[in-house]
Amino acid sequence: MSEFKYLGRLLSSNGSDWPAVYYNLKKARKRWMRVSRVLTREGADSRVCGMFYKAVVQSVLLYGCETWVITSQVLDVLRGFHNRVARRLSGKRPYLLPAENEWVYPPIEEALEEAGLFTIEHYISVRQNTLAANIATRPILELCRESEWLSGSINRILWWTQKELGGMVRPRWSQGLSLGPPVAVKNRQTCNVRHVTLCFYQGYTLTLSRY
C-alpha cells in the first residue's frame, strides 16, 4: 500500500506531501463550487463571501498543512487557487484588451483587500506558528529535557535531543530568532531525511524531521 488515510489526511509511503495537497485541493474545489453558488444566488457582499471562504473552503484546503513540507511548487498550487477565489469574490478578474490583444491582470493585492483576505502564506504561517506555540508551551517539553537516561532503557533517538548522528538531522531548538513566517525547506535525498523549520516562537526555532 503506497497511500493510506489517517485522521482525514493522506499519507504516502515515500513521505511525499503531494497526495495530501492534491486531495485537499480537490475537496476544496468541490466545496467552493457548492458554496459559491449559494453566495452568488443570495447576492452576498464580497467580504461576507470571504468569511465563508475562510471558514468553509480554506479550512479544507489547508487541513494538515502544519506538518507539510512547503516547497515553492506546493506554494504555487495553493496560491493559485487562493488568488483565483479572491479575484472571483472581488470581481477583479483578468480581461482582454481587443485593440492590443493583450490580457490585463488587476493587482492581486487589490483583489485580496476587497475580499478581506490575506495571502495564502499568511494563513499557512498562522497555522504553523500555532502548532509550534502549543509544542513550545507544553510542560512535557521541559520535563523531557530535564529527564535522565536510566540504565536498561531502550537505546533510541529521542525527539527532544539535540544530537545529529550519522548525518541524520534530529529535531532541535535554537535561540536568537524572533517570530516570523515558515523558512525554506531542505531536502536530503542521500539519507532519506526531509526536515523543515516550521516557525519561530518566542525566540525559538523548531525543526522537525521525518524519516
Side-chain angles (χ1 to χ4, degrees):
M1 179 181 295
S2 60
E3 297 177 4
F4 67 95
K5 187 183 295 186
Y6 178 72
L7 296 179
R9 178 190 169 179
L10 280 180
L11 301 176
S12 60
S13 58
N14 60 359
S16 174
D17 291 316
W18 278 110
V21 173
Y22 284 130
Y23 179 72
N24 285 11
L25 185 62
K26 181 180 178 180
K27 291 181 62 177
R29 284 173 175 168
K30 292 181 179 180
R31 186 72 60 86
W32 171 241
M33 185 180 302
R34 295 196 297 265
V35 172
S36 60
R37 291 175 181 174
V38 176
L39 296 175
T40 302
R41 184 172 64 246
E42 297 296 330
D45 180 75
S46 58
R47 285 189 172 268
V48 174
C49 293
M51 295 178 183
F52 274 93
Y53 161 72
K54 289 186 289 185
V56 181
V57 181
Q58 190 187 90
S59 58
V60 175
L61 178 66
L62 299 182
Y63 178 76
C65 72
E66 295 86 350
T67 58
W68 287 353
V69 178
I70 306 295
T71 62
S72 58
Q73 293 82 2
V74 170
L75 196 57
D76 288 341
V77 171
L78 299 176
R79 187 191 296 119
F81 177 80
H82 183 74
N83 290 350
R84 284 194 298 271
V85 171
R87 290 189 182 280
R88 178 170 179 178
L89 293 179
S90 61
K92 296 184 179 297
R93 301 183 181 182
Y95 57 91
L96 178 65
L97 295 176
E100 292 81 4
N101 193 25
E102 181 180 351
W103 284 92
V104 177
Y105 289 79
I108 188 60
E109 294 79 9
E110 296 180 3
L112 292 171
E113 175 67 23
E114 189 166 335
L117 300 175
F118 296 101
T119 62
I120 195 65
E121 292 90 338
H122 169 80
Y123 295 109
I124 295 175
S125 177
V126 169
R127 284 172 170 262
Q128 294 185 341
N129 276 286
T130 301
L131 173 64
N134 292 334
I135 295 175
T137 55
R138 288 189 306 174
I140 188 63
L141 178 59
E142 291 301 327
L143 292 176
C144 290
R145 288 176 176 174
E146 298 172 358
S147 62
E148 297 181 1
W149 187 272
L150 300 179
S151 177
S153 300
I154 300 177
N155 186 16
R156 63 182 180 182
I157 299 299
L158 304 177
W159 63 268
W160 61 85
T161 59
Q162 302 181 18
K163 298 180 180 179
E164 292 189 8
L165 301 178
M168 302 182 71
V169 181
R170 305 300 178 187
R172 62 186 183 275
W173 290 82
S174 59
Q175 292 184 336
L177 297 174
S178 58
L179 187 65
V183 185
V185 175
K186 183 177 181 182
N187 191 348
R188 290 193 176 188
Q189 297 289 349
T190 55
C191 59
N192 195 26
V193 176
R194 295 189 308 163
H195 72 279
V196 54
T197 301
L198 285 182
C199 50
F200 304 136
Y201 179 74
Q202 293 183 351
Y204 292 93
T205 301
L206 173 61
T207 300
L208 299 182
S209 300
R210 299 192 312 180
Y211 305 93

